[in-house]
Amino acid sequence: MTKLNLHYAAWLLTAFSKKLGFFGLIALAISLVCCLFYVLKVLPLNKQLNLAQQQLEHVNPSERNIANLQQAPVNDTAQEMATFNQLLPRTDSLHQSLSLLDETALKQRLVLNRGDYKFTQIKQAQTSNALNLSSYEVVLPVTGSYSQIRQFIANVLQQQPALALSEVKIKRDNSMSANVEARLVFVLYLQGDSW
């Protein structure tokens, strides 16, 4: 009798799978996996969440008040500006910053044949916490592979936090060329207003 029931069950499964087809069986399998995931993962997490909420309800309301939390003291603007100013390189170390550009380009096998440089003093308000800032704009035409140029930009910006990439123009002569021509405009911010 048991063999007959097993044969009948196998026949039913075969007939059912033929009715569903391939995509129906996949949908059924996905549904079963979702149900198992819900039972095994989501329900225990819901229980933990409910338990945590119950524990939070039993805590004294004054302890839950966010306003009573101790916060780190906030620096005033003048102190923050002074700290920021100290992070910037001085104008007398400009040659070191520019030589770092050349060294990074050489590591990426890029040649910097020429560059245009422009020094600008940034006007600041006449207050006690005003910074004396200068900017040095460096325009570099670079030729190389796109990945070399991109790595060059990333390395330079990582090594010099006071340097900002202001503009990038990339041009390729044709789609078969491996090299691109790029015009990179960097701005180096310096502390101090005189050479």
Side-chain angles (χ1 to χ4, degrees):
M1 183 91 177
T2 307
K3 289 184 180 180
L4 183 62
N5 287 341
L6 289 176
H7 287 292
Y8 181 69
W11 176 82
L12 274 177
L13 283 174
T14 305
F16 184 69
S17 64
K18 285 182 182 178
K19 285 261 188 199
L20 284 178
F22 178 71
F23 293 110
L25 288 175
I26 290 177
L28 182 65
I30 290 173
S31 299
L32 289 175
V33 168
C34 288
C35 289
L36 282 174
F37 179 78
Y38 180 78
V39 169
L40 296 176
K41 295 291 182 182
V42 175
L43 285 179
L45 288 176
N46 279 340
K47 288 179 183 177
Q48 289 178 357
L49 179 63
N50 290 336
L51 182 63
Q53 287 175 343
Q54 289 173 357
Q55 290 174 350
L56 185 61
E57 289 173 359
H58 295 298
V59 174
N60 189 356
S62 64
E63 293 175 7
R64 282 191 284 163
N65 192 353
I66 296 174
N68 292 337
L69 293 176
Q70 294 180 353
Q71 297 178 353
V74 178
N75 295 337
D76 62 342
T77 306
Q79 185 181 5
E80 289 177 354
M81 295 298 276
T83 305
F84 172 74
N85 194 19
Q86 291 174 355
L87 294 174
L88 297 176
R90 297 186 48 81
T91 52
D92 54 4
S93 67
L94 177 63
H95 66 282
Q96 293 171 347
S97 299
L98 294 178
S99 66
L100 190 59
L101 280 172
D102 290 332
E103 291 171 13
T104 308
L106 286 175
K107 287 179 185 176
Q108 292 300 319
R109 296 187 179 102
L110 296 172
V111 179
L112 304 177
N113 292 331
R114 63 180 178 86
D116 297 324
Y117 305 95
K118 182 172 84 172
F119 181 76
T120 308
Q121 185 175 350
I122 299 173
K123 303 287 184 194
Q124 297 289 328
Q126 299 299 326
T127 60
S128 61
N129 61 357
L131 298 176
N132 292 325
L133 291 178
S134 301
S135 68
Y136 200 74
E137 185 176 280
V138 181
V139 180
L140 298 173
V142 180
T143 303
S145 72
Y146 175 77
S147 60
Q148 285 176 317
I149 294 172
R150 186 173 170 191
Q151 190 65 39
F152 167 70
I153 293 170
N155 288 346
V156 165
L157 293 177
Q158 184 179 18
Q159 292 172 359
Q160 296 188 24
L163 191 70
L165 182 62
S166 173
E167 183 180 331
V168 177
K169 288 185 180 177
I170 297 177
K171 170 176 92 167
R172 181 179 285 184
D173 290 334
N174 60 38
S175 62
M176 301 302 288
S177 175
N179 288 338
V180 296
E181 295 175 12
R183 181 180 178 270
L184 307 175
V185 180
F186 290 103
V187 178
L188 178 64
Y189 293 98
L190 305 164
Q191 60 172 308
D193 54 359
S194 63
W195 291 84

